[in-house]
């Protein structure tokens, strides 16, 4: 199975919140995901980007690729809060 790590949008209109998930490449953005890796909240008092380091490494070791949106977020390492 070809997996990818990408953003899944939810939240209210004009106030997006994203789940960072591992999902099958062929599935749509809102379909069932394999694993929840973190959260990204771009709107608010300050931007929140939390990732589970162990889950991210696990999925990348299994061959999961980062989506374009995730690659852009990962460039700014200072803004990421790693958990576990």
């Amino acid at each position: 199975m070809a997996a990818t790590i990408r953003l899944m949008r939810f939240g209210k209109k004009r106030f997006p919140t994203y789940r960072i998930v591992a999902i099958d490449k062929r599935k749509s953005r809102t379909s069932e995901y394999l694993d929840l890796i973190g959260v990204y909240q771009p709107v608010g008092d300050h931007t929140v980007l939390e990732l589970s380091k162990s889950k991210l490494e696990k999925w990348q070791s299994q061959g999961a690729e980062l989506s374009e949106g995730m690659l852009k977020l990962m460039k700014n390492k200072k803004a990421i809060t790693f958990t576990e």
Side-chain angles (χ1 to χ4, degrees), residues 17-57:
T17 302
Y18 298 91
R19 289 181 181 145
I20 300 169
V21 297
I23 192 168
D24 187 359
K25 265 186 187 177
R26 298 164 288 198
K27 293 198 176 192
S28 68
R29 178 183 72 181
T30 56
S31 63
E32 194 172 323
Y33 54 87
L34 302 169
D35 197 7
L36 177 65
I37 298 174
V39 262
Y40 173 53
Q41 297 173 337
V43 179
D45 295 337
H46 62 282
T47 301
V48 175
L49 178 57
E50 295 179 357
L51 290 173
S52 171
K53 192 170 189 173
S54 60
K55 288 183 181 181
L56 181 65
E57 290 172 352

Side-chain angles (χ1 to χ4, degrees), residues 6-9 18-20 29 40 67 69-70 73:
R6 65 181 179 198
L7 300 168
M8 177 185 270
R9 186 174 198 249
Y18 298 91
R19 289 181 181 145
I20 300 169
R29 178 183 72 181
Y40 173 53
S67 68
M70 279 303 299
L73 287 176

